[in-house]
Structures are given as C-alpha cells and as structure tokens.
Amino acid sequence: SWFQDDPAKDNPAQAVVWFERVRDLAGQGFIDSLGLAAASLGWQARAELNRERYSQALELYLAQFATGDPTAFASLIQAANKIFAGGPETLQQVAANPIAQRVITAYVIARGGPSLAQPTSASTPLIRVWLDAVEASAVTHVDGAERLAWAAYQIGEMEIARRWLDRARPEEAMTLWLRAKLLLHDGRIDEAVPLLARVARLFPPS
C-alpha cells in the first residue's frame, strides 16, 4: 500500500520497512504458503531501484534469484539497463560496490564481444563505459578482476586486459586461460600450449 504509481501516495522508504518485516516474520517461523518473503525481495528491489539506490537493488534481486524465483533474472537485466541509462556517475557508484560490480560485469560479459561475423557488436560501447567506470571508481581491490580482463579481451583491448590480469588472482582458471590467449595473440605459441594444457585440467569436464 505504500508502494504505488501515484507520486502523491508513493512512499518507497516506508514500503521497504514492511517488506523487511515480512521476511522477519517468515524467519521467526510464521507460515508463508504464498511465498511472500521471496516476493518481498523483488518488490523491495524495485523500490530501491525507483529511489536510485542501484547497488541495493541488485543485491536484493540476487537474493530473490537465490530463492528460485524465475522472475528475478529478467529483473536483474532490467536493473542493469537502467543503470547504464543513468550515465557515468551512476556506473561509478555501482562499480564501487563489490557485489553490484560483479553483477554488471557478468551482464556485459554475457552479452558477448564483437566477432568476425559481427564486428560492430552492440555490447562494445557497454563494455567500454563499464571498464572506464570501474577504473574511475578508484577501487583498489576488485574481486573478479579476471572477468574484467575478459570483458576487455572481448572488445580487443589487449593492454587493458593485461592490466586487469595483473590485479587478478594468479591461480584462477580464467586468469590462466586469458594469459594463454594473450600469449597466442602475441605469437608466443610455445609458451601458451603448456599453459592451456594446465588450464584444461582446471575447468570442469563439461
């Protein structure tokens, strides 16, 4: 009742209080046969999105997704689209939040980079502005730096990929895989082959 389309009646801050209360009651053992605790995560995320509290919204949508609610996936995509529409300042704000940063990085990676058949992929500008935002956020440690390196590799920014790899966990499978790919890119095949063989044992057989 506090969360409405009518600006005169809408009070998302008050709505959030009651969404959290629903989850508190479910946690205390009250019957929740309608799954309202899980639903409250998505509604609260939407309230936070409307308040332009983007990192909080992403974390809530992730929590909703973890409950098995299939609608959370589409909501995460919609939230990411809204974040990119917010411009550089919004992107930097989100990049400073470790969980939100990994969600948006996954979003841009999943869209894929340019290919020979599609040299002007629509994902290229997204990846560029996101990498710029993460750099501009002045975060000194980025968990999942190897994925930012992969994003840079997707759009052919090899030097940016190398820079992120230097900040990545050295024994992470993706880190080693990208190092091998960069060696191949440089024509250093003899160095790349044993590294690829090592990486092949780290990835799941499937």
Side-chain angles (χ1 to χ4, degrees):
S1 65
W2 287 109
F3 188 34
Q4 300 187 31
D5 293 330
D6 183 350
K9 300 178 181 178
D10 187 40
N11 189 333
Q14 188 64 35
V16 164
V17 172
W18 291 101
F19 289 140
E20 291 176 345
R21 181 66 175 144
V22 169
R23 296 195 295 277
D24 287 342
L25 291 169
Q28 292 172 33
F30 283 82
I31 294 171
D32 184 20
S33 55
L34 295 179
L36 296 178
S40 73
L41 290 164
W43 282 104
Q44 184 176 340
R46 184 177 166 189
E48 298 291 17
L49 203 60
N50 288 353
R51 297 164 75 191
E52 299 184 352
R53 291 161 56 95
Y54 299 109
S55 296
Q56 291 88 337
L58 288 175
E59 290 188 31
L60 285 160
Y61 279 134
L62 269 184
Q64 181 192 15
F65 186 74
T67 69
D69 188 332
T71 66
F73 183 73
S75 297
L76 280 165
I77 294 172
Q78 290 170 1
N81 288 335
K82 189 166 184 177
I83 288 165
F84 274 97
E89 189 173 323
T90 297
L91 288 168
Q92 289 175 33
Q93 171 197 333
V94 172
N97 178 290
I99 295 175
Q101 181 271 125
R102 296 190 75 174
V103 172
I104 299 300
T105 298
Y107 170 79
V108 298
I109 290 174
R111 293 172 65 91
S115 65
L116 292 176
Q118 199 177 26
T120 55
S121 169
S123 68
T124 300
L126 287 183
I127 292 175
R128 289 189 191 283
V129 296
W130 178 238
L131 290 172
D132 289 345
V134 178
E135 291 277 12
S137 70
V139 176
T140 56
H141 173 74
V142 176
D143 191 18
E146 67 280 355
R147 284 160 175 75
L148 290 162
W150 172 235
Y153 182 91
Q154 282 182 315
I155 59 172
E157 293 286 357
M158 303 306 174
E159 292 310 310
I160 295 176
R162 293 180 213 278
R163 191 162 69 245
W164 280 112
L165 279 182
D166 287 342
R167 308 178 198 178
R169 293 166 292 185
E171 296 304 311
E172 175 73 21
M174 185 176 282
T175 302
L176 298 171
W177 177 55
L178 279 171
R179 289 202 185 284
K181 290 175 77 69
L182 288 170
L183 286 168
L184 289 171
H185 175 267
D186 294 341
R188 296 160 64 182
I189 298 172
D190 290 343
E191 295 174 67
V193 169
L195 189 53
L196 282 172
R198 179 182 169 195
V199 171
R201 292 190 292 270
L202 295 176
F203 281 117
S206 60

